[in-house]
Structures are given as structure tokens and as C-alpha cells.
Amino acid sequence: MLWVDDTEVRDRAPMDPVIELIDVSRRYQVGPITITALESVDLHVDPGEFLVVLGPSGSGKTTLLNMIGALDTPTSGKIRVADVDITSATPSDLFAFRRSTVSFIFQSFNIFPGLTAEENVRFGIDVAGRTTGPSARDVLESVGLGDRAEHFPHELSGGEQQRVAIARALATGNPVLLADEPTGELDFETGVQILELLRAQATDGRVVLVVTHNREISRIADRVVELSSGRVISDGAPAGGRAAISELHW
Amino acid sequence: MLLFRWTWRDLRARWVQVAVIALVVAVGTGMYAGMLSTTEWAQISYDESYAAVNAHDVRVTLATGSLAAEGELTAAVSDLLDGEAVAEERLIVPIRFDASTPDQTIIVRGAVVGAQVDASVDVVDVQRGRGLGSADAGEPVVILEQNFGSFYNLGASGTLTLAGGSEFEWVGQGVAPEYFIVQPPEGGFFGQAEYGVLFTSVETAQQIAGFGPVVNDLVISSGADPVELAAAVEAVFDTVHPELGATVATGEEDPTRRLLYDDLEGDRQFMAVFAGLIFAGAVAAAFNSTSRMVESIRREFGISMALGVPRWRIAVRPLLVGAEIAFLGVVFGVGLGVVINQAMKRVLVDFLPLPVWQTPFQFGRFAGGAAIGFLAPFLAAAIPVWRALRVQPVEAIRTGHLAARAGKSSLLRWIPGDTFAKIPFRNLFRAPRRTVLTALGIAAAITVLVGMVVMVDSFVATIDAGAAEVTAGSPDRVLVGLDTVRPVDSPEVKGVIAAESVGAAETGLRVPSRVMVGGVGFDLLLEVIDLESDLWHPTFVEGSPAPGGVVLAEKAAEDLGVEVGDVVTVEHPRRQGPLSFSLVESELEVTGLHPHPFRFVAYLDDGDVDLLGMAGLANTLSLEPSPGSDLADVQRELFGNEAVTSVMAAGSVADIIRDFLEQFVGILQIAEIGSILLMVLIAFNSASVAFDERARDHATMLAFGVRRRRIMRMATVESAALGVIATLLGAVGGYGFLRWAVRANISETVPEIGLNYVFTPTLVVALSVLGVVAVALAPLFNWRRLRRLDVPSTLRVME
Ligand SMILES: Nc1ncnc2c1ncn2[C@@H]1O[C@H](COP(=O)(O)OP(=O)(O)OP(=O)(O)O)[C@@H](O)[C@H]1O
Ligand SMILES: [Mg+2]
């Protein structure tokens, strides 16, 4: 199965990076003021990596994630994701790219209130046009919500809703998962469970990118990219080495 | 001041929605006030018109052919009148005349009404040209009745020729109370195409009649109670002048007056329901949209409460927004109402050229409309505010946005298909109350639309059915009326048959009669014809042309509650001597039913003519123009025949009524445009607010790579489903509205007509398509907003 927890096993031949950013900058023009959200960012992410983007508020984390997810285009520089050059792609290619390559998980869940948990997951399958592979119910079970399939979002807790959102993203079968502050609205315990779940997805070549401003969370990653004022100030294993989830405090 | 600027910014941020809500309020208020004004105007104008021409309080009419010496009638009643009262004699003579112009043949029958040139009762109100002066007494000078004049687009003056050859000049056109609506003597209304009235001096009328100084009509204006006066006058004539066969009636009993006032009552109800429906729809929609708008900022209340802002300060802002919308709506509404007023005024004045048309601004109506129009959006803003301020701040923050709820979505678990197919229907059920309110608003508009369209179509269809029936197999058939019952071998009848322009011809009889069953009874126009004639015969919907029975209209049978084979009592004339008739009752079997929509049309086979004792006699002819001739040729050729009183196309009634309807259609179009506008506005607004509420869903879908077209398609499906619900409600409502309008209005005002409902599948489909499509397309107006949706920022917003 796609979501078996095998993060400990990570012995692969080097391959082409799934995500590649070359000298990417993003500036916003607000009246006479130019805001630089990202400045000359270079980044390579290999298949199967679980990567945390860390940085204080306003450092450009969300901007970076939106670039990779093709929700936003860089002012300059080049981005390739899963062999697609998204900086030169047409808008219609970008829609197709989002359907087939990246899947988002949001801080505020953004699952569809009119659909049940299972249907929200089913949406992921439908949008990707996937006809083979695990069913919505299977994916929901894999995030531990098999018994809540028929429930509507307002009948679920925040953590459960976020799991539905993760299941929805997983259901697409896309190779890149992008999660922006996925634990931002959750308590510690629930947040840890969600992170565990996310880390477990970085397998079989699937890349998981988690954005956070919480340094503690970054400790569980293979690799931490730290942003400050739009620049990458460090990139590597977490300071003090990778921690088990049970070691986290926040 | 800051508060005002803030609320103004709220409005500007959603100016499209605000404008649309204001427009919805405006259309509702405007139609309500504008439409309801008309019945008030009519009431005032009728009253003042009758007063302006000093319409008679009592009228004495002598039996056909009876004449009294000038002065005799006034003398008879002089003892009954006090000082104030006025009695004036008139001479009314049936005539035919030719007022043809180079481009149209106008040969019609009608009447000359001779009165004192300085008459003070039933004064002719001259609206074009000049009136009559004392110099005109005895001269060949007349005033043309204006309904007739405008029907044929005749000018203020011109010349016409009476049957017999004398030339007359008309010097003006005017209206008189008995002809405000032209009702020819043997029935029907809006008869201006076939019935022309000439007002002139009594001296001129006497010359035309050729019987010396005689009169046959007396009109009295008096301050006394008309009913008592009429009874007294009747008593005098019964005892002193029984030979005159006088009929005495009060002014209120005048058929035109009755028609106008009865109709007014029906119109008032009709307009009230009709304007009320539109208004209610608009109010519901405005309420709905405003409360949705305010609901979407409800979260801010919670935050403000949490920050300790006093409640009244929090409440003021949304309330001001509501008040501002309401104010804009009411201002637009009053403006629109005034525009509608102007349009209605034009239609009314053209349609009914009364001496006085008073169209004062209906302050009460407008104030009432404006008050409700204002209250709806204001309350819509106030209620959510009130609800939000009562709860704990945390709750206000949490429950905030309706968009986050599933509502009654769970009722729709069964919807098949993928999630894209489910979402539109789920969305509808997420806020069922709101969906229902929106649907009701649209449905009200459709109800009015359906009611209007079906009503007009039904009228046209009814009239066409009548025309089709009387011209079946003989499209150019012409009906000729004779002045009296004449032997079929008389020179006058033979002259008609032998005329060059006349082809096949048959003689017939038409006699007034009455049908009765149990307690129900009404008048019939009984025609004696060959029921199996090759020239023309009625269609048998049921039964067959068997001798010894009567053929009734379906509507008549329905009203009487009889079927083919049942026996009815017919009261009809029977000839006793050469010129004397008596009324007798015959028990006749209903042998057939014909489809003519007028219930008074009935037939007797010419084999049964002995029932009337009139074998060998005729007072009508049915004929076809000879090859190469047409109606105008027949009219011209028979103009010289003194026995002929009318020459009309058999289907002409249809043309007249259709013409009348065309005038009425002006009013209906205003209503139709209003309801379509309302429907589209409501749908648009609902779709537009939905786009705001669904912004997060849309952004999420876009982030997942769902194409905008697909999102738009879902919105369209959702809207179309709403349209279907609304259209179904509207169609049912429209049908009910129509049934009601017919029952309350038509069947009371004109029970003679059996309306053919045109509620055909095609019409229903056409209206449904219009309703559904208009509503379904509404979301497309949000395409630009969808294109410009800032996905990252929308997703960033936290609930
Ligand atoms: N649409 C925009 N227009 C103008 N400036 C923007 C826009 N989006 C982001 N920015 C600016 O770009 C910078 C980076 O924003 P970004 O959202 O990426 O920060 P972040 O690291 O995600 O912060 P946080 O942890 O608070 O979410 C900020 O200074 C922000 O104000
Ligand atoms: Mg961010």
C-alpha cells in the first residue's frame, strides 16, 4: 500500500530531483512599495523526501509553497516539478499539472462542507481522474477515519477534518504533497498525529513538503530548509539530528 | 462620520449586489405602486367623467318603432321633477352609413343620437374638432363617436354618406357616457369596428327619421333618489302611455356603466393579487439577499464583541448598510413606479377616451410600497445582527459563516455520479430556507408571467376558436342583418341574393330567446339555419344534427349542467299573426353541442322553424362573396338596400376583440418585462452572493486543478436546479392565479364567454425553458470574478 509507514527505509539510487527551483524570486508590487517575498531561492528535492520549510512569519514560506504548487508564478527564475517546467507552462497546462502532480493540504482544512468525509476524499480521486488504485473508503481508513465516512465536516473535529484533507490529497495519487501549516489550528497531540501521518506518506517516491514556523516540528524532518526574509539561510538535516515524533515538545 | 464612510465602503465593495438588491426592491415597489395606481385612477376618472358629462340618473327608452310627439315625454314626467331636475328628449335612429376613405371601406351600421344642441344631460364630450352650436340644429352636421373614429383613424372632420344617399359632415369626435364602451344593441362590447354612433341635433335626427317632430328617448338628471324616481316615472308611463312600451332604467343600470364599474372591482382584485405577488417575490428576495450579505460579516460582530465594543456600535454598521440598501431601493422604486405610471397612463387614455382622466400620484400606494420596500432589507439586516449580538462572542465568531455548514445536505446522499455531480445539489440544500426563499421569489415572478401569458393566449385562442367555428369551411362568409323579419321571397331578400357580388346565399332567422333548466337561465341568440348546409353549419362536438332539438354551446351546457339528450326549456317568440309575436316556452332536447366559446350562440334546424311560426321568413342571410368579389364589394352593393342593417364578415368579432387585446397587451407587456427582470435579478443576485460564500470552495478546487469552466458548470447546474424548482412552483402558481383571475374576474364580468385555457405543453415547456435558462445563466455573470479570484489569499483566510 502507498501509505505504509516505511520512512525508516530510505535506501535508493540517486535520481532526478522531483522539485527543482533555480534562482527563483517573487516580488509583490503594492502601490509604490515593492515587497520581496522570495529572493534568489535555489532548491532541489529528491523523490521520497520529507522536507520541512521553516521560517518566521512573513519569511516567504507560503509563497514558496504556492510557487511549487503553481498557484503563483515567480517574478524571475525557473521551477521544474516532476519534469514539468511550470514557469513556461500555459495556464491550461498548469491546471493539468495541479490535477496530476501536486496536492494541497491547508492550515484551515478547506474541505467541502456539503460533502461527507468519504465524498471529500472521493473528490481527490475524481479531480485526478484516477480509475485504478485504492478507493475513497480505503484512503479514509488509512488515515484512521473509516468509521466516520458518512459524516459531514461540521460533525468532525479539527484534527479529523485535517485528516480528511490529507486523505483527499492522498487520494489523488499525486507525487507531491504540499502542506501549509497543517497543524496550525490543532492542539499538540493532534498536531503530532497529523505530522506522523504526513511523514508516513513520504514513500514510494512521493515528496511531502510541510511548511511551519515552529522549529520544534522541523526536528522530525529528514531535511529542513530555513527561510528568512525570502532567502534560504540554511538547508540540511535538522539541528541536533532528526528526532522521533515522541521527542517533540511544543 | 467614520461610520458612514465605513458603511459606504461596505456598499462599494459589493456594489453590484447592492445595486441588484436595490433594483429588486425597486421593481417590486415600482410595480406595486405603479400598477395599483391604475385602479385608483380608474375609479376617480369614471366618477369624474360621469359627473363631467352629467350622465342621466333616469332614462326612458321607447319600444323599437314607438315614437312620441316632441314634448310629450317631458310633459309626462314634469310633475315628478323638482326645480333642480332637468329632463331632455332625444331621438335615436338606427342607421347605416358609409365613411370610406381612399384606403379603407368603412360601411357600418350604427345610430344617430339627436339631442338638444345645448344639452345638459349626457353631454357629448368633444375631444377633437368642434362641438355643435345652435347654428348646426337641423343641418347635416354630426359629431363622430370617438371610439369608432379612432378605430378607423378618422380625422377631426370629414364627410360621410347615410344609407339613402344624404351626405353629412362631421365636425368633431367625442364621447358620450352610453358609448364609453361601445355596446351594439344586440350585445357584445368593444363594438366600435362595426357600430358607429353619430351625435347630432334632435332636428337633424328628425329629418333623418322622416317622421316629423318626434322623439323616442328621455334622459333625466335629478337630485332625487334615482331608484325612487325611476319607479315613479315607470308608473306614469305604464298608466298614461302604455302604448309607448317605455322601459325605464336608472343611470347605474346603464350597461356601459355597469361594465366599467363591475370590471373595476375585478381589476382591483386582479391588480392587487398580481402586484402583491410581484411585490412579495421582490421583498422575499431582497430580504434574503440582504441577510446573506450581513450574515457574511457576522464574524466581525463576534470579534468586535470580544474586543469589548459596545453592542450598539457593532449594530449600527450593518443596520446602516441595510438602511442604505433599502433607501436606494425605495428611491429607485419610486422612480420606476412613476415611469410605470406614465406608461400605464398612456395605455389607459388611449384605450378608454374618457372625458376626464385623472391620474394623480397615488401617495398612499407609493408610501405603503416604499415602507414595505424599505423595511424588508432593513429587517433583513437587523435580524442577523440581533441574533448575533444575543449570543456569546465565541459563538458569533465560530458559527460565523453559513458557508461552513452542511445544512440539509444529508437529505441528498442518494444523488448519483461523481463528486462534481453532487456538489451543486448539496449546495442547494446547505441552506434550505434560503434556497426556498430564492425559489419563491423567482416563482412569484414566473407565476405572474405564466398567468399573464396564459391569459392573453387563452383570450386569443378563445376568440380564434369562435372565428374558426363561424367560418369553418367558408373563410369569407358574410353575415347580413335585415331590419325586420321579411318573407324570403320579398324583393329586399331576393335583392340580396341576386346581388352581383353575392355568390351562394342562404336565409336564416335570429331570434332572442332564453334557456332555462331548474333555477339556471340565461339569454340565447337562437339561429334557425340548415344544420347540414353546404355553405356553413356548426361543428358538432357532441351529438348530431337531428331535428326536433336545440344545439347549444359547450359553455352553455356546462353552465346549465346538461348533456346531449337532456331536455331544456327554451323561451322564444312565436308568431301569432302577420306582425304579432308572443313569448312561449318549449321543451327541447339538446341534440348537439357546438364549440363556439360564446354561450349565447344556439341553433335550431330550419326543419323546426314551425316552432317559431316563421316559415318562409328571414331576418339574416349567410352568404359567400361571388368569385372575384370581397366583403367590401358586398358592403358597397348592399348599401343601397334599405332592408339591410349590417354586412359583416362572419369572423369579424374575432378581429375586434383581438384589436382590443392588443391595447391591453401594452399593460401586460409592462408586467411581463417587470417579472422577467425581477426573475433575472433575483437569480443573478443569488448566484452572486453564492459566489462570495463559495469563494473558499472555489479556491480549493482551483488549487486542486479543477478548471474554471467546470466550476462554472457546477454553479450553472445548481442555479438551473433552483430554476426548475422555481419554475415548477411558478407554473403551478400561475395556473392557480389564472383560474382565480378567471373565476373572480372574467366569469363574473362576462359570463357569456367560455374561456379556452391555453395551457399547452409547448407553452409550459417554453416558459419553463425561459425560467430555467434565465436562472441557470445567472452565474455566468460571475465569470470575471472567478477569473480574478486570488486563490492564495482566499485559501489563506481562516474561518
Ligand atoms: N498578495 C500579496 N501581495 C503583497 N504582498 C504579499 C502578498 N502575498 C504575500 N505577500 C508578502 O510576502 C511576504 C511573504 O509572505 P508569505 O505569506 O509567504 O509569508 P509566510 O512565511 O507564509 O508567513 P506566515 O508564517 O505568517 O504564514 C510577506 O511580507 C507578505 O506580506
Ligand atoms: Mg504562510
Side-chain angles (χ1 to χ4, degrees):
Chain A
M1 280 205 297
L2 288 166
W3 38 85
V4 168
D5 189 349
D6 62 353
T7 43
E8 304 302 321
V9 193
R10 194 153 299 278
D11 252 337
R12 278 165 213 284
M15 314 174 203
D16 284 343
V18 178
I19 301 171
E20 190 174 15
L21 280 77
I22 302 164
D23 196 20
V24 169
S25 299
R26 178 66 167 104
R27 291 180 195 87
Y28 293 104
Q29 197 70 39
V30 182
I33 306 162
T34 305
I35 296 163
T36 303
L38 287 180
E39 179 77 46
S40 296
V41 172
D42 288 294
L43 184 70
H44 300 257
V45 184
D46 289 324
E49 270 194 286
F50 179 75
L51 181 133
V52 168
V53 179
L54 179 69
S57 186
S59 56
K61 308 181 293 293
T62 298
T63 306
L64 177 70
L65 209 70
N66 288 345
M67 295 287 155
I68 297 169
L71 287 183
D72 200 353
T73 42
T75 316
S76 65
K78 205 167 144 79
I79 304 176
R80 288 178 66 83
V81 179
D83 293 326
V84 180
D85 180 353
I86 60 175
T87 36
S88 66
T90 63
S92 131
D93 288 342
L94 290 182
F95 273 94
F97 164 80
R98 289 203 296 272
R99 286 197 298 273
S100 62
T101 312
V102 294
S103 295
F104 283 93
I105 293 154
F106 308 98
Q107 175 175 356
S108 48
F109 322 143
N110 290 342
I111 53 179
F112 301 112
L115 298 181
T116 62
E118 182 174 348
E119 287 163 347
N120 264 287
V121 179
R122 175 77 196 283
F123 171 85
I125 296 177
D126 289 342
V127 74
R130 184 162 71 71
T131 50
T132 57
S135 70
R137 177 68 72 130
D138 293 339
V139 184
L140 204 56
E141 261 159 23
S142 76
V143 299
L145 284 179
D147 52 340
R148 310 299 299 270
E150 295 295 310
H151 290 217
F152 282 94
H154 71 275
E155 297 162 332
L156 300 173
S157 74
E160 285 159 350
Q161 290 189 46
Q162 190 61 301
R163 285 195 218 202
V164 172
I166 292 171
R168 177 175 67 183
L170 288 176
T172 59
N174 291 349
V176 179
L177 281 194
L178 303 173
D180 193 354
E181 303 274 7
T183 60
E185 293 197 6
L186 304 175
D187 62 39
F188 172 73
E189 180 116 20
T190 318
V192 167
Q193 287 164 5
I194 292 294
L195 281 177
E196 221 160 18
L197 189 60
L198 282 172
R199 190 164 76 174
Q201 307 314 322
T203 176
D204 281 349
R206 182 189 281 126
V207 167
V208 178
L209 240 96
V210 176
V211 160
T212 181
H213 60 263
N214 186 318
R215 190 166 294 277
E216 190 69 15
I217 288 180
S218 71
R219 290 175 56 210
I220 65 161
D222 307 315
R223 177 178 163 197
V224 178
V225 172
E226 196 170 349
L227 289 179
S228 177
S229 307
R231 291 173 179 277
V232 177
I233 54 169
S234 74
D235 182 352
R242 187 176 155 206
I245 282 180
S246 55
E247 298 170 42
L248 299 186
H249 315 275
W250 86 82
Chain B
M1 259 2 269
L2 171 69
L3 209 57
F4 256 109
R5 243 183 298 147
W6 192 4
T7 55
W8 193 241
R9 203 183 301 150
D10 288 341
L11 289 184
R12 274 227 315 260
R14 296 159 190 269
W15 72 269
V16 179
Q17 281 167 28
V18 168
V20 171
I21 298 175
L23 264 181
V24 167
V25 174
V27 171
T29 314
M31 298 257 285
Y32 176 79
M35 295 258 158
L36 285 186
S37 295
T38 59
T39 52
E40 305 295 332
W41 294 345
Q43 176 84 57
I44 304 170
S45 303
Y46 294 174
D47 291 350
E48 292 197 9
S49 291
Y50 276 102
V53 297
N54 193 25
H56 63 259
D57 295 308
V58 172
R59 179 178 172 189
V60 181
T61 316
L62 303 193
T64 313
S66 292
L67 295 167
E70 212 177 291
E72 202 175 356
L73 301 181
T74 339
V77 297
S78 62
D79 285 350
L80 300 171
L81 304 180
D82 55 28
E84 301 278 288
V86 186
E88 291 176 357
E89 292 176 339
R90 307 192 300 184
L91 177 61
I92 301 178
V93 190
I95 46 150
R96 275 185 310 142
F97 63 90
D98 180 349
S100 299
T101 60
D103 39 277
Q104 53 183 342
T105 300
I106 309 170
I107 297 178
V108 295
R109 71 205 164 104
V112 163
V113 178
Q116 291 169 221
V117 286
D118 59 346
S120 63
V121 184
D122 286 352
V123 178
V124 177
D125 178 68
V126 177
Q127 301 191 357
R128 307 180 61 189
R130 67 168 179 88
L132 298 179
S134 47
D136 295 313
E139 298 300 316
V141 173
V142 299
I143 304 286
L144 218 52
E145 197 278 315
Q146 180 150 323
N147 286 297
F148 170 80
S150 5
F151 181 83
Y152 288 109
N153 291 314
L154 297 174
S157 63
T159 54
L160 54 85
T161 312
L162 289 199
S166 37
E167 286 223 338
F168 280 72
E169 190 190 346
W170 81 80
V171 294
Q173 292 191 17
V175 293
E178 293 149 79
Y179 305 101
F180 284 161
I181 291 177
V182 180
Q183 301 190 74
E186 62 294 342
F189 25 82
F190 303 108
Q192 50 264 44
E194 42 143 337
Y195 196 78
V197 176
L198 309 175
F199 303 106
T200 188
S201 63
V202 70
E203 293 85 354
T204 306
Q206 285 164 349
Q207 283 171 18
I208 294 170
F211 293 111
V214 291
V215 293
N216 62 2
D217 192 88
L218 180 73
V219 285
I220 303 170
S221 159
S222 152
D225 176 51
V227 179
E228 282 172 20
L229 182 59
V233 170
E234 192 160 12
V236 167
F237 276 95
D238 281 354
T239 51
V240 184
H241 290 296
E243 78 288 356
L244 294 176
T247 314
V248 181
T250 64
E252 305 259 296
E253 288 169 336
D254 176 66
T256 296
R257 193 158 173 168
R258 278 230 312 260
L259 189 66
L260 282 176
Y261 279 95
D262 283 358
D263 205 34
L264 189 63
E265 199 35 56
D267 281 358
R268 202 193 306 274
Q269 287 179 21
F270 178 77
M271 283 291 187
V273 169
F274 158 81
L277 262 175
I278 290 207
F279 195 39
V283 165
F287 183 89
N288 204 19
S289 311
T290 311
S291 71
R292 282 166 81 168
M293 247 177 79
V294 172
E295 196 78 51
S296 70
I297 54 168
R298 185 162 146 183
R299 242 176 86 81
E300 293 181 18
F301 306 161
I303 295 166
S304 306
M305 277 160 80
L307 293 176
V309 180
R311 289 181 186 213
W312 68 266
R313 289 269 307 265
I314 302 173
V316 162
R317 189 173 142 233
L319 288 184
L320 264 177
V321 171
E324 281 159 353
I325 293 176
F327 179 74
L328 282 177
V330 166
V331 169
F332 287 167
V334 171
L336 190 72
V338 170
V339 171
I340 291 175
N341 264 353
Q342 293 302 324
M344 301 284 282
K345 195 189 291 192
R346 274 233 306 282
V347 173
L348 284 176
V349 173
D350 278 359
F351 175 54
L352 203 63
L354 291 180
V356 183
W357 260 115
Q358 290 285 9
T359 53
F361 183 74
Q362 291 298 307
F363 189 80
R365 292 289 179 201
F366 273 85
I372 302 175
F374 185 89
L375 272 182
F378 185 76
L379 283 181
I383 291 172
V385 172
W386 179 69
R387 277 209 311 241
L389 291 184
R390 270 183 350 167
V391 300
Q392 294 295 315
V394 319
E395 233 175 299
I397 295 174
R398 202 176 46 220
T399 46
H401 215 286
L402 266 177
R405 289 198 223 137
K408 296 264 177 293
S409 292
S410 51
L411 291 179
L412 287 181
R413 283 180 205 274
W414 51 270
I415 296 252
D418 62 12
T419 38
F420 295 110
K422 286 181 175 142
I423 288 175
F425 298 99
R426 293 294 174 78
N427 279 343
L428 271 185
F429 271 67
R430 268 163 66 184
R433 186 184 55 111
R434 175 206 296 170
T435 302
V436 168
L437 269 181
T438 309
L440 279 180
I442 298 171
I446 294 179
T447 292
V448 170
L449 195 62
V450 169
M452 291 288 153
V453 171
V454 171
M455 182 111 82
V456 171
D457 284 3
S458 300
F459 262 118
V460 171
T462 302
I463 300 312
D464 284 349
E469 166 63 7
V470 293
T471 56
S474 177
D476 301 321
R477 196 162 74 102
V478 174
L479 294 178
V480 172
L482 300 179
D483 54 353
T484 179
V485 179
R486 290 177 181 265
V488 291
D489 51 6
S490 64
E492 290 84 358
V493 176
K494 278 178 154 170
V496 173
I497 297 170
E500 213 168 293
S501 58
V502 173
E506 274 174 13
T507 59
L509 280 165
R510 239 179 219 207
V511 295
S513 55
R514 202 173 158 76
V515 64
M516 290 162 292
V517 171
V520 193
F522 48 81
D523 292 341
L524 292 183
L525 192 59
L526 193 60
E527 281 192 58
V528 183
I529 54 164
D530 177 1
L531 286 179
E532 286 171 296
S533 164
D534 289 333
L535 180 61
W536 178 83
H537 60 80
T539 312
F540 281 81
V541 182
E542 267 178 62
S544 58
V550 64
V551 181
L552 294 177
E554 286 177 291
K555 169 76 157 87
E558 189 187 310
D559 289 356
L560 293 167
V562 297
E563 291 172 15
V564 170
D566 290 348
V567 172
V568 294
T569 307
V570 178
E571 185 190 63
H572 58 86
R574 175 173 291 158
R575 197 165 70 125
Q576 307 292 1
L579 275 172
S580 62
F581 292 88
S582 61
L583 280 180
V584 297
E585 289 186 2
S586 300
E587 301 290 313
L588 294 177
E589 186 190 331
V590 180
T591 49
L593 299 182
H594 66 81
H596 199 292
F598 292 170
R599 73 170 179 190
F600 55 79
V601 177
Y603 303 99
L604 208 59
D605 190 71
D606 57 4
D608 296 322
V609 69
D610 284 342
L611 218 52
L612 307 178
M614 292 200 237
L617 297 178
N619 63 1
T620 63
L621 286 102
S622 162
L623 56 84
E624 276 177 346
S626 59
S629 304
D630 63 9
L631 173 67
D633 296 325
V634 179
Q635 286 179 326
R636 249 176 270 126
E637 197 177 350
L638 297 187
F639 190 49
N641 187 326
E642 287 200 358
V644 172
T645 54
S646 67
V647 179
M648 282 192 298
S652 71
V653 186
D655 296 340
I656 297 160
I657 300 196
R658 209 173 296 129
D659 219 77
F660 150 64
L661 275 177
E662 257 156 42
Q663 313 224 34
F664 191 53
V665 160
I667 294 182
L668 295 186
Q669 268 167 356
I670 297 173
E672 284 172 12
I673 292 170
S675 21
I676 292 178
L677 187 67
L678 192 65
M679 180 169 89
V680 171
L681 286 177
I682 296 174
F684 169 78
N685 211 32
S686 168
S688 167
V689 179
F691 256 80
D692 279 351
E693 293 166 351
R694 312 260 158 79
R696 289 171 72 77
D697 288 4
H698 293 161
T700 307
M701 288 186 204
L702 289 171
F704 271 86
V706 178
R707 297 179 144 276
R708 291 192 193 92
R709 259 177 293 151
R710 185 154 210 174
I711 294 177
M712 199 45 95
R713 209 152 63 215
M714 284 191 272
T716 309
V717 169
E718 180 181 336
S719 216
L722 184 68
V724 169
I725 299 173
T727 304
L728 285 179
L729 287 175
V732 172
Y735 187 71
F737 176 52
L738 182 81
R739 292 304 299 238
W740 171 83
V742 168
R743 224 191 25 243
N745 226 324
I746 296 159
S747 51
E748 278 188 14
T749 326
V750 278
E752 295 87 359
I753 299 180
L755 205 62
N756 292 0
Y757 289 100
V758 181
F759 210 69
T760 58
T762 20
L763 178 76
V764 174
V765 168
L767 283 172
S768 308
V769 167
L770 177 73
V772 174
V773 168
V775 177
L777 294 186
L780 298 186
F781 289 100
N782 292 296
W783 178 249
R784 249 164 55 111
R785 286 168 65 198
L786 186 60
R787 278 202 74 90
R788 290 177 169 190
L789 183 69
D790 183 346
V791 178
S793 337
T794 310
L795 289 172
R796 198 177 0 228
V797 173
M798 278 178 259
E799 268 299 314

